[in-house]
Amino acid sequence: MLDLRHGLRSLRRSTTLAVLGTFILAIGLGAVITLWAVIDDVLLSPLPYPEPERLMSLYGYDRTTGNGRFSASYPDLLDFKREASGVQPLMAWAPRTFPMTGDGGEPLRAQVGVVTHDLLATLGRQPVLGRSFQAQDEVLGAEPVTVISQALWQSRYGGDPQMVGRTLRLGEVPYTVVGVIDSGPALPQNAQLWVPAGIQESAEIRGVHSLNALARLAPGVPREAAETELEAIAQRLSELYPEENRHRGARLVPLLESQVGSVRPQLALLFGSVVLLLLLACANVSGLLLARAAGRGREIATRRALGATRRRVASLLAMESLLIAAAGGALGWLFALGAVAWLRRYGPVDVPRLDTVALDPSAVTVALLTVLATAILSALAPIFTLGTADLQNLRSHGGHNATSRRLRPALVVTQVALAVVLAGGAGLLLRSVQALNQTDPGFEPQGLLAVQLERAVPFISPQWPDTVAFFSQLESRLRGEAGVLAVSSAYQGPTDAGWTSGFTVEGLPEPEEGERPEAVFRPVTPGYFDTVGARLVAGRFLRSADDAQAAGAVVVNESFVRAHLEGLEPLGRKLLRPSWWQPERGDFTIVGVVEDVLFAGVEAGPVPAMYYPHAQQPTPMMSVLLRLDPEATGSTDGTVLDATAVVAALRRHLAELEPELPMGPISWATDELSAGSAQRRFLSVLVSAFATIALLLAAIGLYAVLSTSVRQRRRELGVRRALGASAGQLARGVMARALLLVGLGVTLGTLALALASQSLESLLYRVSPFDATTLTAVVLLLALAAVAAGWWPSRRAAAVDPAEVLRQD
């Protein structure tokens, strides 16, 4: 308590030090607490399911390369369930969207989970009304039934107690509601209702790998043993069904790892950054305490002369550091509260469980331990300088001993080195984002609006002429609307990765069973390429004449030619693929080649793609793409297009053509492209913020050292001035010292950045970890920081009056 009272009195006399030290540590401590909360909730907390440690994702992979994470087909899943004993049960789920009608409400594009009957119960979801799925609900030919979420039950049906037994229509199939499932985590996370997987149209097709398989390890069975058993079953299936399963293996991955593994490197980088920032803050505060201690030597000498031990002196100094760290921790906790709320609201949507992040008891423990560690680190330098000095040294030199003079510059060099690591990493990430923004996506995203629609007919349907006519009529109506420059439709737009379909090339050797090549399958309506701004390389685009009565036509991209027709003339060559709507095999002549469009995002790169006329390969799910006129749809500031009128017109036309068709999500192509790199941009912004703070702290530390040095050397500077040194020489000496310290810090920081480059490489895009531009920019920034920090101390050195100094002596 004596130490506490003394520490409070001492800091009250040094208000500037207390406030500045508190704020500096609050930044570092707040960042550490926030990142710990994120890591704890996202990476470390168990999944909110019963016995989550036994839940595994079951993936297929290519045994020839060892790579890949493939989904499962329903027939494969049944074979695994029959033969595997190490997993009980083996389940599956898949996200789907269906137009939902027939329940008395407005048409809805419902988020549906296609699941096996045991999934919801295994994940702990129980019915609050009616029942959940049973095994007989999943038998092919069973009456279609569904269970709905409690949220949908309340929002759409007002919690109707007579909900069980009501009928609603998903697509063209009527489903009977048999239960309402309680609120809580499930798969898929955003599902509004669930339907049995076994009664879907693809349940009998082994080649449709669309299900995410999930397994619970049987009691006492280790993951390795269960994986070995599943691998043997997968190998047998690949031999029995080479066309669908050739070279497919089986791999078990903990469910938590499968959900959060993709964000682990980014969070590790962020946590490493905040730890560096906290160390820099500790070094900064330690330097401030050391500078203050320079004037306390005689005070400490007096205490020692009156009987205080070195341990007692160290205790006094440590208490001051602890008080500053505690105040910094309290303020940092407030910073963390605001940061967590901001992350939950504005953080990237593709970071799993980010919306549940909170400051829980584990964050309190981490905060307390970090405050204690920070206090110790910050107090080490002043304790080592004053607490261990002998009495005679303290009397004669005060706090200006050789140890102090060596430690202060060393702390500055450390701060600069840490700032180089943070600024270099931030620069590399910013350069990656710049490279992403400059990469040509293969089409013109500005002003392109996409609206998803799905007709209530099966994907493979004899009603396909009606579907083709519907989209043709809708496009014709939209072309007459003000502000619409062009309109077309496509099965998934230019920013959607889509899915692939197999084919063979006429005239080339028939591939072995199971080795048939695949490419992105994309039916489009006439005018698609002009609407999205895709560029023709050879031949022609698809046109209205390529209808159901015409010969088959297809346009391929450059990646397709490189991958499958290298050295051959693509135009006029025929692609053969099974037709879903006709019994015979279809042949399609390549009539054009277009430049690559980066469907899966800029980072994924181009992939082979085939564009078919929608009239020849129709699908009920299409994105209506509208190219809007900036002059007719510009906002008041002229930078953002206003699609309100166009969307209203689309709703009106839909109500006239097909009143029960729900409108799906509406999105700008620019937003979709931006979302693909949102995580990387978010990471670069945070690290850049940390780097900016680090540069500022390094400049503050350098200023404190130079200012203290000038104050301590005032007598020496006065004598040198009296002996003929010019003011400019004295000023240049101070500035040279600043640049020397920064140069040493830059050298050490560059070496540290080189050592950390391997961990950064996976997070960079088209940028070398040793990018010369980035390193040059960092060096220039720190040189400017050195000049800024040294300017005022150099002015003070130049202004020393030798007569005044000599009179004082």
Side-chain angles (χ1 to χ4, degrees), residues 179-465:
V180 177
I181 295 297
D182 62 355
S183 298
L187 294 173
Q189 287 90 341
N190 62 343
Q192 297 170 294
L193 63 162
W194 293 266
V195 297
I199 63 172
Q200 302 305 305
E201 56 184 326
S202 62
E204 292 184 290
I205 307 174
R206 191 174 292 273
V208 178
H209 298 95
S210 60
L211 295 175
N212 302 291
L214 184 67
R216 185 187 288 281
L217 296 176
V221 177
R223 187 182 81 180
E224 294 76 12
E227 189 174 67
T228 300
E229 181 185 40
L230 293 168
E231 176 74 5
I233 298 172
Q235 184 171 357
R236 187 182 65 80
L237 292 177
S238 69
E239 294 170 355
L240 287 175
Y241 310 103
E243 179 66 25
E244 297 88 356
N245 288 353
R246 190 176 183 86
H247 302 313
R248 284 178 81 95
R251 179 176 291 150
L252 288 177
V253 177
L255 181 59
L256 177 61
E257 178 64 24
S258 69
Q259 291 189 355
V260 305
S262 62
V263 301
R264 193 182 299 277
Q266 290 90 330
L267 291 181
L269 174 65
L270 282 178
F271 194 70
S273 299
V274 300
V275 169
L276 289 179
L277 184 64
L278 182 60
L279 290 174
L280 198 155
C282 290
N284 199 283
V285 172
S286 185
L288 294 175
L289 291 172
L290 194 58
R292 177 173 175 267
R296 300 183 64 189
R298 290 182 175 82
E299 172 201 337
I300 300 300
T302 303
R303 291 180 180 277
R304 293 281 301 279
L306 294 174
T309 63
R310 290 179 175 179
R311 180 177 179 182
R312 179 73 177 137
V313 170
S315 177
L316 290 171
L317 296 172
M319 178 56 71
E320 295 178 16
S321 177
L322 181 60
L323 287 171
I324 294 176
L331 184 58
W333 185 268
L334 296 178
F335 287 170
L337 284 173
V340 165
W342 183 82
L343 283 173
R344 292 178 63 166
R345 183 171 183 178
Y346 298 108
V349 295
D350 52 352
V351 176
R353 304 203 287 176
L354 191 62
D355 58 336
T356 65
V357 172
L359 297 182
D360 56 16
S362 72
V364 176
T365 303
V366 168
L368 293 175
L369 292 175
T370 309
V371 165
L372 182 60
T374 300
I376 294 172
L377 287 173
S378 300
L380 283 178
I383 288 174
F384 186 69
T385 301
L386 293 180
T388 61
D390 59 72
L391 191 58
Q392 182 59 37
N393 188 297
L394 288 170
R395 284 173 178 164
S396 58
H397 300 289
H400 312 317
N401 54 42
T403 303
S404 174
R405 286 193 295 271
R406 286 193 298 267
L407 270 178
R408 286 196 295 272
L411 287 172
V412 170
V413 170
T414 301
Q415 292 176 60
V416 172
L418 293 173
V420 167
V421 175
L422 281 172
L428 292 172
L429 290 172
L430 288 173
R431 292 268 290 161
S432 294
V433 171
Q434 183 185 35
L436 281 171
N437 293 336
Q438 292 176 346
T439 301
D440 182 7
F443 69 103
E444 178 49 59
Q446 296 293 334
L448 185 63
L449 187 71
V451 183
Q452 295 183 25
L453 299 177
E454 181 177 359
R455 298 191 71 231
V457 295
F459 191 86
I460 303 173
S461 169
Q463 302 175 35
W464 63 266

Side-chain angles (χ1 to χ4, degrees), residues 304-650:
R304 293 281 301 279
L306 294 174
T309 63
R310 290 179 175 179
R311 180 177 179 182
R312 179 73 177 137
V313 170
S315 177
L316 290 171
L317 296 172
M319 178 56 71
E320 295 178 16
S321 177
L322 181 60
L323 287 171
I324 294 176
L331 184 58
W333 185 268
L334 296 178
F335 287 170
L337 284 173
V340 165
W342 183 82
L343 283 173
R344 292 178 63 166
R345 183 171 183 178
Y346 298 108
V349 295
D350 52 352
V351 176
R353 304 203 287 176
L354 191 62
D355 58 336
T356 65
V357 172
L359 297 182
D360 56 16
S362 72
V364 176
T365 303
V366 168
L368 293 175
L369 292 175
T370 309
V371 165
L372 182 60
T374 300
I376 294 172
L377 287 173
S378 300
L380 283 178
I383 288 174
F384 186 69
T385 301
L386 293 180
T388 61
D390 59 72
L391 191 58
Q392 182 59 37
N393 188 297
L394 288 170
R395 284 173 178 164
S396 58
H397 300 289
H400 312 317
N401 54 42
T403 303
S404 174
R405 286 193 295 271
R406 286 193 298 267
L407 270 178
R408 286 196 295 272
L411 287 172
V412 170
V413 170
T414 301
Q415 292 176 60
V416 172
L418 293 173
V420 167
V421 175
L422 281 172
L428 292 172
L429 290 172
L430 288 173
R431 292 268 290 161
S432 294
V433 171
Q434 183 185 35
L436 281 171
N437 293 336
Q438 292 176 346
T439 301
D440 182 7
F443 69 103
E444 178 49 59
Q446 296 293 334
L448 185 63
L449 187 71
V451 183
Q452 295 183 25
L453 299 177
E454 181 177 359
R455 298 191 71 231
V457 295
F459 191 86
I460 303 173
S461 169
Q463 302 175 35
W464 63 266
D466 294 340
T467 298
V468 173
F470 166 79
F471 283 103
S472 178
Q473 293 172 28
L474 180 61
E475 290 175 16
S476 178
R477 288 177 174 229
L478 290 171
R479 287 190 186 97
E481 294 295 332
V484 177
L485 295 177
V487 60
S488 61
S489 303
Y491 176 58
Q492 301 163 320
T495 58
D496 195 313
W499 56 279
T500 62
S501 180
F503 65 92
T504 56
V505 180
E506 188 178 64
L508 296 184
E510 187 74 17
E512 294 184 21
E513 197 172 12
E515 298 289 348
R516 189 172 60 177
E518 294 197 350
V520 169
F521 169 79
R522 193 136 304 194
V524 300
T525 61
Y528 167 81
F529 300 101
D530 289 329
T531 302
V532 302
R535 296 174 285 273
L536 186 68
V537 175
R540 64 172 177 85
F541 289 139
L542 299 174
R543 53 198 181 198
S544 301
D546 298 315
D547 57 18
Q549 287 71 45
V554 63
V555 169
V556 299
N557 66 353
E558 291 177 301
S559 287
F560 185 98
V561 175
R562 288 193 298 268
H564 305 298
L565 300 174
E566 186 67 33
L568 302 175
E569 171 56 47
L571 297 181
R573 196 167 294 272
K574 288 187 177 181
L575 302 185
L576 309 176
R577 66 179 306 277
S579 175
W580 293 326
W581 297 273
Q582 301 170 9
E584 68 274 9
R585 187 177 178 130
D587 60 88
F588 300 84
T589 301
I590 298 177
V591 297
V593 179
V594 294
E595 289 186 7
D596 292 327
V597 171
L598 304 180
F599 303 114
V602 173
E603 295 186 58
V607 292
M610 307 175 293
Y611 300 90
Y612 292 92
H614 184 241
Q616 297 179 359
Q617 294 283 273
T619 64
M621 294 176 287
M622 298 286 278
S623 289
V624 177
L625 304 165
L626 300 109
R627 172 71 61 187
L628 302 187
D629 182 0
E631 294 184 2
T633 56
S635 66
T636 54
D637 63 2
T639 59
V640 180
L641 298 186
D642 182 4
T644 305
V646 174
V647 172
L650 175 58

Side-chain angles (χ1 to χ4, degrees), residues 582-772:
Q582 301 170 9
E584 68 274 9
R585 187 177 178 130
D587 60 88
F588 300 84
T589 301
I590 298 177
V591 297
V593 179
V594 294
E595 289 186 7
D596 292 327
V597 171
L598 304 180
F599 303 114
V602 173
E603 295 186 58
V607 292
M610 307 175 293
Y611 300 90
Y612 292 92
H614 184 241
Q616 297 179 359
Q617 294 283 273
T619 64
M621 294 176 287
M622 298 286 278
S623 289
V624 177
L625 304 165
L626 300 109
R627 172 71 61 187
L628 302 187
D629 182 0
E631 294 184 2
T633 56
S635 66
T636 54
D637 63 2
T639 59
V640 180
L641 298 186
D642 182 4
T644 305
V646 174
V647 172
L650 175 58
R651 293 184 189 278
R652 185 178 68 253
H653 294 312
L654 286 177
E656 294 171 359
L657 290 174
E658 197 160 327
E660 290 196 338
L661 179 63
M663 185 183 294
I666 302 171
S667 60
W668 292 101
T670 48
D671 293 339
E672 293 295 320
L673 276 178
S674 179
S677 57
Q679 201 176 105
R680 185 185 295 277
R681 289 199 319 276
F682 186 76
L683 182 68
S684 66
V685 168
L686 286 184
V687 177
S688 298
F690 297 153
T692 302
I693 296 169
L695 289 170
L696 180 61
L697 293 181
I700 291 172
L702 180 59
Y703 171 80
V705 165
L706 295 176
S707 183
T708 303
S709 175
V710 170
R711 188 171 62 249
Q712 292 174 356
R713 297 173 57 206
R714 193 166 181 273
R715 181 183 303 173
E716 172 203 335
L717 294 171
V719 171
R720 291 180 61 191
R721 185 71 188 276
L723 293 175
S726 67
Q729 286 177 320
L730 298 183
R732 286 193 295 273
V734 174
M735 193 62 72
R737 179 176 171 80
L739 293 173
L740 175 63
L741 293 177
V742 168
L744 290 173
V746 167
T747 302
L748 292 176
T750 303
L751 292 174
L753 187 61
L755 293 175
S757 61
Q758 191 167 2
S759 60
L760 277 174
E761 197 164 3
S762 63
L763 300 173
L764 302 180
Y765 176 77
R766 293 186 179 178
V767 176
S768 166
F770 305 101
D771 181 60

